Amino acid sequence: MDVLEKLRDGSFSIEDGVKLYEMDLHRLGEIANQIRKEKHGLKTYFNVNRHINPTNICKDVCKFCAFSANRKNPNPYTMEIEEIVNIAKQAYQNGANEIHIVSAHNPNASLDWYLGMFKAIKQEIPDIHIKALTAAEIHFLCQTYNLQYEQLLDMMIENGVDSMPGGGAEIFDEAIRSHICKGKVDSKNWLKIHQIWHQKGKKSNATMLFGHIEQRSHRIDHMLRLRKLQEQTHGFNAFIPLVYQRHNNYLKVTDFLTGVEILKTFAIARIILDNIANLKAYWVTSTINLALVAQEYGANDLDGTIQKESINAAAGAQSAGGMGLDEFVHLIKDSGFIPVQRDSLYNEIKAYN
Ligand code: V47
């Protein structure tokens, strides 16, 4: 196929990507599904994990964010390390093998607090996988404590962080980015932080926030920048398109995406990012129903049971209480796919045939 050849020889342009959106959804789905099947057959991965968001106090104001404490969400909190460890311990006892920790950019919390929580969790539960600190948080901490990225990434490893989540990528286009999240890590540095992390032999994910004020061309540009870095490092495990949630924030968006546009974006991501093994339909932002359909449009991973979620729930997602393991398995099975519980690095734990 012409598109795949162009992607491989580097001549695929943003315009080529935008043209893909003009294709019929079902044809796009067929192509994406073929790539999915070659990589994963009918397997759909998920993990049993626990999200923890230890503070919502943030020095930055991202217009799309409803989680950080501000005029619209006047409930600031910062957890004690002991409380964070207790949540992790309980999650582990309930079967979780991954703790996913994302905080805000809290200028009142110390570097010891940010790193100490990882050390304390690992001391109590040595075999839990810690996926923590987005590139946005890393940039914030490096600026605040006058550290080079390399230094902080080494400290993360020393304190027990195993992999990095894909948050903070939003949309790489500089003009859109400056409108929706001015002050946050810029695109070049988001990519640089992941590049250094990968060079240390570590894995990470990459997200893209879409369905706000961006155009199709910005999504393609975002995917192509990720494809380029992945060609160099091979360090991204999964690409995660996050559907914008509209409530309780400062971004005035009046046009919302149709299901067709969301599915086309998944399919196009599967095609353009065929060098990233996994395409995750994060059910929290897409809704579980659309995530199940997305399995036929390239997605092979639905993230996890989560147990508790605050960031997207604050903006309107139906994710606050996570999802039970049995329900997850049944939904995937009933939609015609094979649920496979995985660990954070995509090693298979159990297939529910
Ligand atoms: O970076 C914030 C997003 C992200 C909204 O790596 C919003 O496995 C939609 O990155 N509407 C954090 N999205 C979550 C994240 C993530 C989630 C699941 C798995 C992984 C992974 C990473 O949430 C932020 C931001 O892009 N976000 N507000 C909103 N209103």
Side-chain angles (χ1 to χ4, degrees):
M1 186 194 154
D2 189 33
V3 169
L4 294 181
E5 271 165 33
K6 278 181 140 186
L7 281 165
R8 302 232 158 97
D9 72 19
S11 63
F12 188 89
S13 65
I14 293 179
E15 294 70 38
D16 289 329
V18 172
K19 270 194 211 134
L20 289 178
Y21 272 101
E22 287 156 21
M23 282 173 70
D24 174 73
L25 171 65
H26 303 297
R27 178 69 193 123
L28 263 181
E30 271 170 14
I31 301 167
N33 202 19
Q34 193 187 328
I35 298 172
R36 181 226 206 269
K37 280 195 172 151
E38 277 163 19
K39 289 185 188 295
H40 309 286
L42 285 175
K43 289 177 183 172
T44 292
Y45 293 106
F46 70 94
N47 71 352
V48 179
N49 61 351
R50 172 65 150 93
H51 281 212
I52 307 178
N53 306 118
T55 181
N56 68 348
I57 297 173
C58 197
K59 81 157 196 41
D60 289 312
V61 184
C62 296
K63 288 189 181 152
F64 53 79
C65 182
F67 167 66
S68 80
N70 58 41
R71 193 151 48 78
K72 294 205 178 186
N73 176 17
N75 295 306
Y77 70 83
T78 303
M79 294 178 181
E80 298 290 340
I81 289 188
E82 196 185 342
E83 185 183 355
I84 299 167
V85 173
N86 284 338
I87 296 172
K89 268 189 346 201
Q90 204 170 31
Y92 182 67
Q93 279 154 14
N94 291 338
N97 50 37
E98 172 190 287
I99 303 295
H100 176 148
I101 303 178
V102 172
S103 289
H105 309 162
N106 187 338
N108 310 320
S110 66
L111 184 62
D112 278 352
W113 178 83
Y114 268 96
L115 295 174
M117 67 177 86
F118 310 133
K119 193 170 197 161
I121 292 173
K122 271 289 161 79
Q123 258 161 9
E124 289 286 334
I125 327 164
D127 56 346
I128 200 121
H129 181 106
I130 300 180
K131 181 169 72 176
L133 290 183
T134 65
E137 290 168 272
I138 291 166
H139 176 79
F140 156 73
L141 290 171
C142 285
Q143 279 201 322
T144 309
Y145 298 103
N146 202 16
L147 294 165
Q148 301 292 315
Y149 294 143
E150 172 107 33
Q151 289 175 296
L152 184 62
L153 295 176
D154 284 339
M155 289 176 182
M156 283 161 58
I157 295 170
E158 280 157 26
N159 282 276
V161 175
D162 297 290
S163 67
M164 263 173 68
E170 320 313 356
I171 202 88
F172 289 146
D173 177 84
E174 280 71 14
I176 301 286
R177 194 173 184 85
S178 107
H179 184 78
I180 64 173
C181 56
K182 199 173 168 97
K184 197 171 204 168
V185 62
D186 65 22
S187 313
K188 228 172 102 198
N189 283 316
W190 189 98
L191 290 162
K192 178 98 204 145
I193 290 166
H194 283 261
Q195 182 187 36
I196 302 172
W197 183 249
H198 296 167
Q199 281 162 349
K200 293 183 181 298
K202 297 289 183 185
K203 297 288 185 185
S204 67
N205 293 332
T207 56
M208 174 181 77
L209 181 66
F210 73 113
H212 42 90
I213 59 163
E214 91 291 353
Q215 305 286 310
R216 288 170 169 174
S217 58
H218 301 127
R219 295 178 211 150
I220 303 293
D221 167 56
H222 190 96
M223 294 177 206
L224 288 175
R225 294 197 209 191
L226 288 172
R227 182 179 170 92
K228 197 163 157 215
L229 180 56
Q230 179 73 343
E231 276 167 4
Q232 270 176 41
T233 65
H234 311 288
F236 289 117
N237 265 338
F239 178 59
I240 315 162
L242 299 169
V243 183
Y244 169 66
Q245 309 294 302
R246 67 185 83 159
H247 295 291
N248 310 319
N249 65 22
Y250 293 97
L251 196 57
K252 292 186 179 60
V253 176
T254 46
D255 284 343
F256 299 111
L257 296 184
T258 60
V260 169
E261 187 75 6
I262 294 171
L263 290 175
K264 279 191 174 182
T265 303
F266 273 100
I268 290 169
R270 183 60 294 171
I271 296 166
I272 293 184
L273 292 172
D274 77 327
N275 63 350
I276 298 183
N278 301 290
L279 178 65
K280 189 188 281 191
Y282 184 47
W283 62 270
V284 166
T285 65
S286 62
T287 73
I288 186 65
N289 291 340
L290 204 64
L292 293 169
V293 179
Q295 294 174 108
E296 293 175 54
Y297 293 83
N300 68 292
D301 184 359
L302 300 193
D303 196 76
T305 51
I306 296 170
Q307 293 183 26
K308 186 174 186 322
E309 198 281 326
S310 306
I311 297 179
N312 288 284
Q318 302 297 304
S319 50
M323 174 144 11
L325 174 66
D326 292 346
E327 194 184 356
F328 221 69
V329 166
H330 277 118
L331 286 169
I332 295 171
K333 239 185 189 173
D334 288 352
S335 59
F337 290 84
I338 305 166
V340 179
Q341 189 182 335
R342 60 163 175 82
D343 70 11
S344 309
L345 300 175
Y346 288 84
N347 298 302
E348 295 187 7
I349 295 177
K350 182 175 176 184
Y352 294 79
N353 286 306

